[in-house]
């Protein structure tokens, strides 16, 4: 998933609201997202890494389209993964309504000709729907990769988030 074997990569992961609620999530403002690495094989940091979030009513991902997302975290310099939880403190928070499914996108763009060094494995479970959509390439811009040559999988990476309570509704 987080592979420095890939010079450039774009990945979207669909988390169904029903699964999030069953795991204890609640509606509110997400200000931190984490991915749990079970194996650390990448030797170099990831450059120009972006984390994006979006809501959708789709129940699975397709390899013919990327779902709309907005940037919530960006690191133009470097991001070095560690074994265990890798948390991203969001620069732009994300309000989740507790009903919509969430799309998490992670993409990066290593310099052209960057050496391949290994793939980090994440804690994940197998599901019965297409929840993981990914494409990698060389000499491209990872976050701008098109769907051509992308693939979908039924592997759902473990994710954690810090949620603040939803803001109160306006009083009229």
């Amino acid at each position: 998933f987080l592979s420095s074997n890939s010079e450039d990569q774009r990945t979207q992961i669909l988390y169904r609201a029903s699964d999030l609620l069953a795991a204890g999530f609640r509606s509110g403002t997400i200000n931190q997202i984490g991915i749990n690495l079970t194996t650390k094989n990448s030797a170099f940091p990831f450059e120009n890494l972006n984390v994006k979030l979006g809501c959708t009513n789709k129940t699975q991902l397709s390899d013919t389209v990327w779902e709309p997302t907005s940037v919530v975290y960006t690191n133009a310099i470097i991001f070095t993964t560690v074994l265990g939880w890798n948390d991203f403190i969001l620069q732009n928070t994300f309000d989740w309504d507790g009903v919509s499914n969430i799309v998490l996108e992670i993409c990066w763009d290593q310099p052209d000709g960057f050496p391949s060094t290994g793939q980090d494995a994440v804690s994940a479970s197998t599901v019965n729907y297409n929840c993981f959509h990914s494409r990698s390439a060389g000499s491209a811009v990872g976050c701008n990769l098109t769907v051509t040559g992308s693939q979908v999988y039924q592997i759902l990476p473990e994710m954690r988030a810090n949620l603040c309570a939803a803001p109160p509704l306006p009083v009229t």
Side-chain angles (χ1 to χ4, degrees), residues 3-164:
S3 173
S4 57
N5 284 337
S6 304
E7 190 175 283
D8 310 296
Q9 186 167 324
R10 183 177 186 181
T11 298
Q12 287 191 337
I13 306 159
L14 175 74
Y15 293 95
R16 290 181 174 175
S18 57
D19 294 335
L20 294 171
L21 293 168
F25 285 64
R26 65 187 189 294
S27 64
T29 301
I30 300 172
N31 60 20
Q32 182 175 318
I33 293 264
I35 299 291
N36 188 16
L37 292 189
T38 56
T39 305
K40 164 96 171 117
N41 288 324
S42 61
F44 291 103
F46 297 88
E47 294 188 33
N48 303 305
L49 183 126
N50 285 279
V51 176
K52 303 176 183 184
L53 288 171
C55 286
T56 184
N57 61 359
K58 292 185 179 175
T59 57
Q60 64 179 344
L61 297 176
S62 165
D63 64 358
T64 62
V65 65
W66 295 111
E67 294 302 314
T69 56
S70 298
V71 174
V72 293
Y73 173 89
T74 188
N75 189 337
I77 310 299
I78 58 171
F79 180 83
T80 302
T81 57
V82 296
L83 189 62
W85 284 101
N86 288 258
D87 292 310
F88 303 95
I89 298 171
L90 306 186
Q91 295 140 338
N92 301 304
T93 59
F94 183 81
D95 292 326
W96 181 50
D97 60 13
V99 176
S100 301
N101 298 326
I102 292 178
V103 176
L104 168 64
E105 180 172 327
I106 298 178
C107 53
W108 64 85
D109 179 38
Q110 302 286 44
D112 291 348
F114 199 77
S116 298
T117 63
Q119 181 166 322
D120 296 339
V122 298
S123 175
S125 57
T126 302
V127 295
N128 62 0
Y129 59 95
N130 294 332
C131 60
F132 190 94
H133 180 197
S134 189
R135 178 173 177 217
S136 58
S139 302
V141 177
C143 294
N144 294 340
L145 289 173
T146 64
V147 295
T148 304
S150 66
Q151 296 181 329
V152 291
Y153 303 92
Q154 296 182 341
I155 300 169
L156 186 62
E158 181 180 9
M159 182 261 293
R160 72 178 179 186
N162 186 38
L163 287 120
C164 300

